[in-house]
Amino acid sequence: MKAVIVGAGIGGLTCALALRQRGHDVTVLEQAPQLGEIGAGITITPNADRVFADLGLSDRMVAQSVIPERQLTQHWQSGDIIRDVERGAATAQHYGAGYYHIHRADLHSILVDALSAAAPDSLKLATPVQDARPDGTVLTEAGTAVKADIVIGADGVKSQVRSRLFATEEPKFTGQVAWRGLVPRCSVETDMQPHFPGVHIGPKKLFMRYPVRAETLVNYAAFVELYGWQEESWTIPSSRAELLEHFAVWAPEVTALIHATPDDQLFKWALFVRAPLDTWINGRVTLLGDAAHAMLPFMGQGAATAIEDAMVLARALDAYPLDEALERYDTARRPRTSAIQENARLLGLQFQGEDPNAFNSGGIKNEEQLGLFDYDAVHVDI
Ligand code: FAD
């Protein structure tokens, strides 16, 4: 089978690898001319780690990620601990799979290296896709037509494949603006360094941080309910002063991280989502990851669900005739991801509620309480 995947993000690359390992011919078309250091931290939860283990990537994942011991939820101003969850060995033992934080660029390069080893020349950079057709034809912006048995739109929240072939509305601004920063750990005074990964929560705002790159860097993401500015890009620079307008009176561990952020390591973006679709199938074309179910990041499941999609789709395509495979993929994945989209939105409201101390009695379950970590994309019935 010949598969064309549009987009070399986390989901597209994982799917390419899973298909390649099953002996299929894969081409990945990526608009970016080069794959670089864009992005910062990504959380890999046990449900995603099972996929990487099956793809033979565990050793590199462990080597390049940080496995947190605990994870805290704290009051925005006092820093008082509202929830404390054990991670590390306890999580690994409970789920038989890991929970870790990794720099997106590191994860990306692990996937690219593995794909290059398995299928040299399968990744085509600087190849933006303009259109796709239900018969399996993909048209690049340069005017080349590529024909495939299956086309997989893994082209992110602004997916061109989705816009062209599916009954969809445009991406919708969520009212959330995010900032992300990367801070050299050594530049933050020791007593101001948060000891464990965690999130400070307050009314209409939250500030989440965790270490990456052998704990040499602290990655943070700050979310503010804010209307007006609405640009969705990973490369828009911001400034400490702009971020401090929103967090100046937050706990000293929060402001210390903001003050220590290098000038070129602070970016902001507006968060967009798209409503669930009625189907992910149009002829020989389907979707995965953010293209199919972009979600708010409050459950840390954006990358994990793209990785799950990738494995389930590859298994279905390998095991069944095309039409049946797509039906089975759609049935297996759409209800789960639609539910996660909605739960991530609700959890965000609970995180950003008026009274942080009421967080534990808010009634909205987090990703672990919902049982999301139990999902095994490698073995689930499809
Ligand atoms: P994405 O990771 O968004 O990948 C989509 C890919 O498709 C991109 O490489 C894009 O360039 C490509 N593409 C889009 N349109 C076309 C087209 N027309 N033709 C060809 N290729 C196309 N999440 C975090 O939690 N933290 C981060 O720091 C972070 N940084 C990110 C940086 C970048 C540059 C990107 C693209 C995404 C980032 N994300 C980050 C989002 C996160 O990676 C995704 O939400 C998640 O991994 C789901 O992945 P995906 O493969 O579905 O989509």
Side-chain angles (χ1 to χ4, degrees):
M1 186 182 60
K2 179 174 162 65
V4 167
I5 298 175
V6 183
I10 309 300
L13 290 170
T14 305
C15 191
L17 262 178
L19 281 170
R20 188 65 211 129
Q21 288 194 351
R22 286 162 176 76
H24 300 289
D25 177 0
V26 185
T27 301
V28 184
L29 307 177
E30 166 59 44
Q31 66 180 0
Q34 59 192 38
L35 303 171
E37 279 285 311
I38 310 176
I42 292 234
T43 301
I44 298 298
T45 47
N47 43 322
D49 187 45
R50 288 189 189 96
V51 174
F52 292 144
D54 187 69
L55 294 173
L57 302 176
S58 294
D59 288 351
R60 272 198 76 186
M61 288 290 171
V62 169
Q64 292 195 244
S65 61
V66 173
I67 299 175
E69 279 175 53
R70 321 193 68 78
Q71 205 173 28
L72 308 179
T73 303
Q74 293 172 265
H75 189 280
W76 67 276
Q77 194 173 37
S78 65
D80 289 349
I81 294 173
I82 296 166
R83 179 177 283 174
D84 179 354
V85 178
E86 211 177 339
R87 292 276 173 233
T91 299
Q93 194 175 6
H94 184 79
Y95 292 102
Y99 181 108
Y100 44 91
H101 300 301
I102 188 165
H103 194 299
R104 186 179 186 274
D106 296 340
L107 173 55
H108 215 238
S109 65
I110 292 171
L111 294 170
V112 169
D113 290 351
L115 184 62
S116 306
D121 304 326
S122 56
L123 175 57
K124 312 287 182 204
L125 298 178
T127 312
V129 165
Q130 192 172 54
D131 202 359
R133 295 192 185 134
D135 70 356
T137 308
V138 172
L139 297 168
T140 70
E141 272 184 19
T144 309
V146 186
K147 191 86 171 63
D149 298 310
I150 172 78
V151 175
I152 299 164
D155 47 346
V157 62
K158 288 193 258 180
S159 170
Q160 186 76 352
V161 175
R162 174 170 172 146
S163 295
R164 291 285 177 169
L165 283 183
F166 293 83
T168 180
E169 88 294 7
E170 288 304 301
K172 191 169 150 229
F173 177 53
T174 56
Q176 293 281 327
V177 174
W179 280 258
R180 68 190 158 82
L182 265 187
V183 183
R185 194 162 194 158
C186 60
S187 66
V188 186
E189 286 189 33
T190 314
D191 60 343
M192 279 296 114
Q193 285 183 16
H195 297 297
F196 297 112
V199 53
H200 281 74
I201 60 174
K204 299 190 188 312
K205 296 175 197 171
L206 71 84
F207 189 98
M208 186 253 308
R209 86 277 158 174
Y210 51 79
V212 292
R213 292 240 161 105
E215 309 212 21
T216 56
L217 295 170
V218 180
N219 164 72
Y220 67 78
F223 301 91
V224 179
E225 187 184 315
L226 193 62
Y227 293 87
W229 182 83
Q230 301 191 11
E231 277 187 61
E232 200 278 335
S233 161
W234 294 97
T235 52
I236 299 170
S238 182
S239 66
R240 292 181 293 272
E242 186 182 16
L243 185 52
L244 282 167
E245 278 175 28
H246 302 285
F247 290 92
V249 294
W250 277 47
E253 297 89 348
V254 170
T255 51
L257 279 176
I258 298 174
H259 281 295
T261 314
D263 287 343
D264 62 349
Q265 291 297 336
L266 188 50
F267 298 89
K268 67 171 182 172
W269 77 106
L271 297 181
F272 282 72
V273 292
R274 284 175 133 170
L277 289 169
D278 293 334
T279 176
W280 291 355
I281 309 167
N282 187 345
R284 292 179 175 274
V285 183
T286 191
L287 302 170
L288 68 69
D290 284 1
H293 49 70
M295 60 185 67
L296 282 164
F298 301 117
M299 281 195 172
Q301 289 295 303
T305 47
I307 292 159
E308 292 176 355
D309 289 345
M311 177 53 76
V312 171
L313 179 57
R315 285 180 53 217
L317 289 169
D318 190 56
Y320 301 102
L322 184 74
D323 287 352
E324 186 180 350
L326 292 180
E327 286 294 342
R328 285 179 181 265
Y329 167 64
D330 184 274
T331 304
R333 297 298 305 159
R334 226 163 24 82
R336 174 174 168 89
T337 53
S338 301
I340 298 175
Q341 280 181 294
E342 176 59 4
N343 280 296
R345 185 184 73 78
L346 295 173
L347 188 65
L349 295 176
Q350 185 161 294
F351 270 132
Q352 297 182 340
E354 282 306 313
D355 178 9
N357 291 318
F359 176 73
N360 285 323
S361 52
I364 303 300
K365 293 180 175 168
N366 68 19
E367 58 278 20
E368 196 161 11
Q369 293 162 332
L370 285 171
L372 300 186
F373 294 177
D374 294 316
Y375 187 85
D376 183 355
V378 181
H379 298 103
V380 70
D381 281 342
I382 43 177

